[in-house]
Amino acid sequence: MLPNSSQAWVPLLCNLPAKFVLVFAQRPDDVLANDPDLSSTITIPEGELAELDEQACEEFIQRGLAEIGCQLSDEEQVAATHSLRQLHGWPYAIREGLLLLAGGASPDKLQEPADTKAKRLLEQLTQIGGAVALRVVYALTVLEVPVPVPVLGEFLALPNTEVRRILQIPTVQALVKTSKEGSALFHSLFADHVRAQMKDDLEWVKQHEIAASMFEARLEADKRDELALRRLPHHTQESRGLPAYFEIVLRLSNRQLQLGLLSDATRGLESALYNEPGAKERASLANSLGSAYATYGDLEGAEEKFRVSLAINEEIGNREGIANNYGNLGQILQTRGDLDGATEMFGKSLAINEEIGHKGGIASTYGNLGQILQSRGDLDGAAEMFGRSLAICEETGDVEGKASGYGSMAIIYTIRGDLGPAENMFRKALAVSTEHGYKESMASSYGNLGIIFDIRGNLELAEENYGKALAINEEIGHKVGTASCYCNLGAIHATRGNLDLAEKMLKKALAINEEIGHKEGIANTYGNLGQILQSRGDLDGAAEVIAKSLSINEEIDHKGGIGSNIGNLGNILHAQGDLDGAERMQRKALAINEELGHKEGVATNCGNIGVIFHSRGELDCAEMMFDKSLAISRELGYRVGMASACGNLGLIYRTRGELDGAEKMFEESLAINVEIGNKADMAKSYANLGLIYTSRGDVDRAMEAHKKLHAIERELGGETDASGGSLVSDSIPWNLSLGTD
């Protein structure tokens, strides 16, 4: 630990895993060593620490002299070794002595008091590098952390070339450590002396004000300057006092959350809370910290902070703060699937925001209420709410709100099957988010664009966009988004027939969703895992897992999920031979999807009802349903649905003896499945085409088709259900997770 520890370290150290133990050696009275919130601590009185023995001390000294590259004569080395041995074998004391030696200290004076050594080193530094070298060292003492040369030059108002020259002076190099992040003073005893001298000379506040002004200017030029975001609060505290510090922490932490800098935002907010803020500041800090925890997926921690903030705001009568708290608590309830509780909270938030005329709060609440209505299947109501929110954000110039509004409207278009407008809206959201560095919104936009490509059957572009979304979500620690990406990538791999990899992805998604209690995500993932089991022929296992998904979707009133579950259970009943039960399920699912305006779902249900008619031998009814499914799929550009409908119509024509029409349909189905990489359905197409060629006596083409069929079977690890060529390909929709903006 550093000398003179502060309580600001407590939040970070409290969250260390239990296997870490904090050892306070030689300073058992350190403020942190006795903090009640830190349980895993050990203090070791100075007398109980073992010294290096003579041989170890000699080896340590020689190795240290070699590392720092000191060029000493034999006489100087003997003098240095003798002096260092007098430090009683304390490793840290010896290292400090070696650093002083590297900085030009006399080998025979290494046992001087630290202040005496530091003063002499400053004199040597002034003699060698002049006043400008002294300024550089003072600047590094103030800035504390590694900074790149341009920042140091800006702080000192010196050219970068001059700064680099000074950093090359041997005495400076002995005091400064340079890494990829920049240069920093790392000789702690020397830094303590310089710091004390600056405070005595009243230079400390002045220099921190210069640093604060510099970082403010850098943020004006680039709102994403991470170093400025991280360091401005500290310099503000040192130069302008606590009220200004609390204000800047709140402002910058919101920006850090937008940029995905969760760790920086969390550390800054937790440190500020330990600096004894006033009631209003404490409420705001707790609320912002709750938002950070929620993004991490720590819903319990987030709720606790929101309720702490709410209690303070109610006590001091801060209406805007109360409205904000209600809105945040509503989002926690929504994530847990309690839509009624969430709606109640959002209603309270909206009432207060309208009462006090807080437009930003009104827009935010409209957006939240829109998400509730969307989950319940009221797309018209959701679109109205999203439209109101977007209009306010465009009026007030709320950039983040506009990005969220574009994304929310695009989700409505996607559900309704209007993929062109949906893509345009997602791209607008992505452009705004990218321009301003709003990483969570960027990830959501990439993921949603992936769904557009997925629906169209462009699996490569879908996977690319899911991958981009996953990378950002993992970078910023956004667990809901990360789980959504794993779920969608699992669906991609399942469509391609790679069920093992699909299952692996889906189980990752399930683990995250269960960890954070995200019920809609859990339901989605169970639904997809059920389809994996169904594809493997485990119908009972599939039905059990999909029933779990249905139970959760009914609990949270997620109509889209309910429709998907019922349709998939219908597919299982069909596979088990219960055609009447299967038809009832498919028609229930169809009614839900028609009510929602979910065209992709309608196309899927029509296709599956057609399959049931085909199984009964009712070819005219089957053809009518397949035609309807194909027409909707073509309108949407829904490539998976088109391939399935074409294959099924091909079977109708073949059964009737219309081989030319059948061949045309099977070839179109094959072409789409090749394009999207759906190998299981490619196998079915080859099998069906092989039978067409055999019926015509075209042995060569039939053999070629069956060779391709068996190659796919070997690649997929066994026979497919297409080996006989007569089975109908059921269209099974995967549950894709649309990102919430």
Side-chain angles (χ1 to χ4, degrees):
M1 300 301 299
L2 295 173
N4 306 317
S5 300
S6 106
Q7 293 289 129
W9 281 92
V10 172
L12 175 63
L13 300 177
C14 273
N15 294 321
L16 287 175
K19 63 183 179 181
F20 288 95
V21 176
L22 306 176
V23 179
F24 293 87
Q26 301 189 43
R27 298 205 322 279
D29 295 328
D30 189 288
V31 63
L32 292 183
N34 300 287
D35 191 287
D37 292 330
L38 296 178
S39 56
S40 299
T41 62
I42 297 175
T43 58
I44 304 176
E46 182 175 352
E48 294 183 14
L49 284 175
E51 302 175 1
L52 294 177
D53 60 31
E54 187 172 345
Q55 181 179 351
C57 182
E58 176 70 23
E59 183 180 342
F60 188 85
I61 290 170
Q62 295 304 323
R63 187 186 303 167
L65 288 170
E67 284 178 2
I68 63 177
C70 269
Q71 300 297 320
L72 301 177
S73 67
D74 291 342
E75 184 179 337
E76 288 175 327
Q77 186 159 331
V78 169
T81 303
H82 175 76
S83 294
L84 293 171
R85 279 177 180 161
Q86 305 310 306
L87 297 172
H88 307 295
W90 299 112
Y92 291 106
I94 293 174
R95 179 154 182 80
E96 291 289 343
L98 291 170
L99 290 171
L100 286 170
L101 189 64
S106 173
D108 59 352
K109 293 183 178 180
L110 294 179
Q111 297 179 67
E112 292 176 322
D115 279 356
T116 304
K117 295 175 187 175
K119 288 177 182 176
R120 188 159 37 76
L121 198 54
L122 283 173
E123 292 171 0
Q124 291 176 358
L125 183 64
T126 307
Q127 291 171 1
I128 296 170
V132 68
L134 200 61
R135 286 182 60 207
V136 169
V137 171
Y138 277 30
L140 291 172
T141 304
V142 171
L143 295 172
E144 291 187 356
V145 301
V147 292
V149 167
V151 173
L152 190 53
E154 185 177 346
F155 179 78
L156 292 164
L158 289 174
N160 292 342
T161 52
E162 178 67 359
V163 173
R164 290 191 182 94
R165 183 189 69 78
I166 294 166
L167 291 175
Q168 295 302 312
I169 296 173
T171 306
V172 175
Q173 287 184 323
L175 300 169
V176 174
K177 183 176 182 179
T178 300
S179 63
K180 63 180 181 180
E181 288 83 16
S183 299
L185 198 66
F186 76 108
H187 194 301
S188 59
L189 295 180
F190 180 78
D192 286 345
H193 173 79
V194 174
R195 191 177 294 112
Q197 182 175 322
M198 291 180 74
K199 287 183 177 179
D200 289 343
D201 294 342
L202 302 179
E203 271 292 302
W204 190 247
V205 171
K206 177 182 176 182
Q207 293 301 314
H208 277 287
E209 176 58 37
I210 294 172
S213 298
M214 175 188 71
F215 284 128
E216 283 176 333
R218 292 182 71 84
L219 283 174
E220 282 294 319
D222 179 6
K223 294 180 179 179
R224 289 171 280 191
D225 188 321
E226 293 185 25
L227 179 62
L229 287 167
R230 195 178 302 124
R231 297 303 298 165
L232 178 55
H234 169 71
H235 295 297
T236 300
Q237 180 182 4
E238 292 288 346
S239 60
R240 303 171 189 173
L242 285 175
Y245 162 69
F246 294 133
E247 180 184 346
I248 205 74
V249 167
L250 284 167
R251 179 162 60 86
L252 296 189
S253 66
N254 289 334
R255 190 177 301 176
Q256 286 169 324
L257 290 174
Q258 291 170 341
L259 298 175
L261 304 173
L262 295 187
S263 296
D264 288 345
T266 302
R267 280 195 297 268
L269 290 164
E270 288 175 335
S271 295
L273 279 169
Y274 274 90
N275 275 288
E276 300 182 355
K280 186 174 182 180
E281 290 85 358
R282 191 164 72 256
S284 297
L285 290 165
N287 187 62
S288 294
L289 190 56
S291 296
Y293 288 167
T295 304
Y296 274 124
D298 180 5
L299 300 189
E300 290 184 5
E303 182 179 5
E304 179 191 350
K305 292 301 179 186
F306 291 147
R307 291 198 179 280
V308 166
S309 179
L310 176 61
I312 298 170
N313 281 321
E314 287 178 333
E315 181 181 341
I316 64 177
N318 181 9
R319 302 286 285 163
E320 183 178 331
I322 294 170
N324 197 355
N325 297 144
Y326 281 140
N328 287 333
L329 286 167
Q331 289 184 327
I332 297 293
L333 293 171
Q334 182 182 355
T335 301
R336 289 174 173 158
D338 183 359
L339 300 192
D340 290 338
T343 301
E344 180 184 351
M345 286 292 181
F346 293 147
K348 289 181 177 181
S349 177
L350 181 61
I352 296 173
N353 280 315
E354 287 180 332
E355 176 190 332
I356 64 178
H358 183 214
K359 289 189 175 182
I362 294 170
S364 177
T365 312
Y366 280 148
N368 290 332
L369 287 168
Q371 290 175 25
I372 298 288
L373 293 170
Q374 176 192 316
S375 295
R376 287 181 161 153
D378 183 358
L379 298 191
D380 291 339
E384 180 183 348
M385 286 295 174
F386 292 147
R388 289 183 186 180
S389 176
L390 182 57
I392 293 172
C393 292
E394 288 179 330
E395 175 193 342
T396 59
D398 180 352
V399 175
E400 186 180 12
K402 286 196 291 184
S404 177
Y406 294 144
S408 297
M409 291 299 295
I411 288 173
I412 299 296
Y413 289 136
T414 302
I415 295 171
R416 287 174 169 165
D418 299 329
L419 300 189
E423 181 180 358
N424 290 337
M425 278 291 192
F426 284 140
R427 290 197 181 281
K428 285 179 75 172
L430 179 60
V432 172
S433 302
T434 302
E435 179 184 354
H436 295 274
Y438 298 155
K439 289 192 175 180
E440 185 178 332
S441 183
M442 287 169 61
S444 179
S445 299
Y446 277 128
N448 289 332
L449 282 168
I451 287 178
I452 297 293
F453 296 127
D454 206 331
I455 293 171
R456 289 172 174 162
N458 191 334
L459 299 193
E460 288 187 4
L461 270 179
E463 185 175 17
E464 178 186 331
N465 279 272
Y466 292 152
K468 289 179 179 179
L470 178 62
I472 296 172
N473 279 315
E474 288 185 326
E475 175 195 343
I476 66 176
H478 186 215
K479 290 188 177 181
V480 172
T482 300
S484 175
C485 292
Y486 280 133
C487 185
N488 292 340
L489 285 167
I492 289 274
H493 294 306
T495 300
R496 288 172 171 160
N498 193 338
L499 299 187
D500 290 341
L501 186 53
E503 182 179 19
K504 181 180 178 182
M505 290 287 179
L506 291 170
K507 285 185 174 178
K508 283 186 175 183
L510 181 61
I512 296 171
N513 282 317
E514 287 182 331
E515 176 194 345
I516 63 179
H518 185 210
K519 290 191 176 180
E520 184 177 331
I522 294 170
N524 262 357
T525 314
Y526 274 141
N528 286 342
L529 284 168
Q531 293 182 64
I532 296 287
L533 293 171
Q534 183 181 349
S535 297
R536 288 173 172 158
D538 182 1
L539 300 186
D540 291 338
E544 180 182 347
V545 174
I546 292 172
K548 286 184 180 180
S549 176
L550 177 60
S551 176
I552 296 170
N553 279 318
E554 288 177 335
E555 177 192 343
I556 65 176
D557 197 22
H558 184 212
K559 288 191 176 179
I562 293 169
S564 176
N565 295 146
I566 291 174
N568 285 324
L569 288 171
N571 287 341
I572 292 173
L573 291 173
H574 178 218
Q576 292 172 332
D578 182 359
L579 299 188
D580 291 342
E583 183 178 358
R584 281 195 301 273
M585 285 291 193
Q586 293 295 347
R587 290 197 181 278
K588 283 176 70 175
L590 176 61
I592 291 172
N593 282 315
E594 286 179 333
E595 178 190 347
L596 294 176
H598 185 201
K599 292 182 181 179
E600 180 189 344
V602 172
T604 295
N605 299 138
C606 288
N608 286 332
I609 292 170
V611 170
I612 294 168
F613 285 135
H614 183 277
S615 298
R616 289 174 175 152
E618 301 175 33
L619 299 191
D620 290 343
C621 291
E623 182 180 9
M624 180 179 68
M625 298 307 289
F626 293 148
D627 280 336
K628 187 173 181 180
S629 176
L630 180 59
I632 296 171
S633 296
R634 287 196 195 282
E635 176 192 345
L636 289 176
Y638 177 34
R639 306 287 283 166
V640 173
M642 290 164 60
S644 178
C646 286
N648 288 332
L649 283 167
L651 287 168
I652 297 285
Y653 298 150
R654 196 190 75 199
T655 303
R656 289 173 174 162
E658 301 171 18
L659 299 189
D660 290 344
E663 181 181 9
K664 180 180 177 182
M665 284 294 161
F666 290 144
E667 285 180 342
E668 183 174 352
S669 178
L670 175 62
I672 295 171
N673 282 316
V674 168
E675 180 185 338
I676 67 178
N678 186 348
K679 292 185 178 178
D681 282 356
M682 285 166 58
K684 294 176 184 179
S685 297
Y686 282 128
N688 288 322
L689 284 167
L691 290 175
I692 295 287
Y693 301 145
T694 300
S695 298
R696 289 175 173 159
D698 190 342
V699 178
D700 290 340
R701 294 182 73 189
M703 291 280 291
E704 181 65 25
H706 282 287
K707 282 181 182 178
K708 291 179 178 179
L709 161 64
H710 294 311
I712 293 174
E713 287 179 336
R714 287 192 298 273
E715 185 179 345
L716 295 180
E719 285 197 2
T720 69
D721 63 358
S723 56
S726 59
L727 295 176
V728 180
S729 3
D730 291 331
S731 175
I732 302 173
W734 294 92
N735 298 313
L736 299 175
S737 296
L738 282 159
T740 302
D741 282 272

